[in-house]
Amino acid sequence: SSGHYAMDDDADYTETGAVSERKCEGGYFCSGGDRTECQAGTFCAVGSSVESQCPSGTYTNAPGASECSFCGAGFFQDDEGATGCKSCPLGDSCPGEGMPASTPCPKGSRQPKRKATMCVPCDGGEYQDEEGQTVCKGCSAGSFCTEGSPQETACPKGTYCSANSDLPTSLSSGHYAVD
């Protein structure tokens, strides 16, 4: 029957002269009396009559797998039937195992390296108003940017901010702000 193969007197796989049947082992699929090893990128559970593609986020890199392996942190796989995983690209993070896609770094952060598991917040005096970036932008004079800023913030009345300020500076008594 489907998912089984024929055995001889020594309990070995045989194509002819069978005396009994056995459920197909993991890593193989059995159909029409044939027992076939699963290919890399697929898996075959015990009793399989067909090989199944590894789902996205997983892979098998050798034939005969009974289950797929998860891609590790820092990697992802967006295709089914994969034989390996893809490195998380610049500007993205892959924080967990079995990720079917990388995640662009949110505004206010960056990731300058591949295979990253987390994004890095922009430093004080920097900001990032776009997702998936590798660097942060310097804060303009007249604005300040706290750590992890997604945008520049105008310096309030009674303060001044030089370029790359993380906080506004209070005006000294008897002074006023200039452009």
Side-chain angles (χ1 to χ4, degrees):
S1 65
S2 186
H4 291 73
Y5 66 92
M7 293 184 342
D8 62 17
D9 287 331
D10 296 325
D12 293 323
Y13 167 73
T14 184
E15 291 185 15
T16 60
V19 295
S20 65
E21 71 174 11
R22 174 180 280 168
K23 187 177 274 195
C24 207
E25 295 99 344
Y28 292 86
F29 65 99
C30 300
S31 181
D34 292 326
R35 185 178 75 157
T36 308
E37 188 174 38
C38 290
Q39 299 176 34
T42 68
F43 72 100
C44 299
V46 172
S48 292
S49 57
V50 296
E51 59 187 347
S52 301
Q53 287 195 340
C54 288
S56 57
T58 68
Y59 72 100
T60 59
N61 59 6
S66 59
E67 61 186 15
C68 301
S69 299
F70 288 112
C71 293
F75 296 85
F76 74 101
Q77 183 48 262
D78 52 356
D79 296 322
E80 294 183 357
T83 58
C85 299
K86 300 174 182 177
S87 295
C88 204
L90 300 173
D92 285 20
S93 70
C94 299
E97 292 188 343
M99 296 203 57
S102 63
T103 305
C105 289
K107 293 177 181 181
S109 69
R110 68 188 184 280
Q111 184 42 260
K113 298 177 181 173
R114 295 184 193 284
K115 303 179 189 173
T117 58
M118 59 192 295
C119 297
V120 181
C122 293
D123 294 330
E126 298 179 332
Y127 73 102
Q128 183 47 263
D129 55 356
E130 299 175 76
E131 294 182 350
Q133 300 302 304
T134 59
V135 296
C136 294
K137 303 170 183 176
C139 210
S140 306
S143 297
F144 70 97
C145 303
T146 57
E147 182 179 338
S149 271
Q151 64 195 22
E152 295 180 289
T153 304
C155 282
K157 185 175 182 179
T159 67
Y160 69 95
C161 298
S162 54
N164 303 315
S165 292
D166 62 344
L167 291 172
T169 304
S170 295
L171 294 173
S172 299
S173 181
H175 290 77
Y176 66 95
V178 292
D179 288 338

